[in-house]
Amino acid sequence: MSSRSNHVKIVALEKQMAQAAEAMDFEAATRLRDEIAHLRGEMPEVPKVDDEGGFTTTVSQPPPGAMGLGTNVPVRQPPKGWVKPKKPDFMTKGKPKGR
């Protein structure tokens, strides 16, 4: 999605959010606010509860220019049991064995 069409969609959602707030429909306004934050790349830090009562974590790509020290973007964790592969030894690659 281009930044122009993204901006147009955000403006339309902000108008809908304001109309929902005026009509005292705060649940709809909250959903629209969260959708706007998602489009801007700002994910809310509220933990969500799934159907079994456990918490879920949403990991997304940070907005451009937001990576670095002091960001609140969670770091992706490798799967359980994953082991980092050994680095290849470039000094011995291609040489015959036994020499």
Side-chain angles (χ1 to χ4, degrees), residues 19-30:
Q19 291 171 351
E22 284 180 20
M24 301 269 186
D25 187 4
F26 298 115
E27 291 176 1
T30 302

Side-chain angles (χ1 to χ4, degrees), residues 13 17 28-38 42 44 46:
L13 289 173
M17 184 176 67
T30 302
R31 280 192 303 274
L32 291 166
R33 180 201 61 201
D34 290 344
E35 189 174 345
I36 291 169
H38 179 70
E42 308 162 351
V46 179

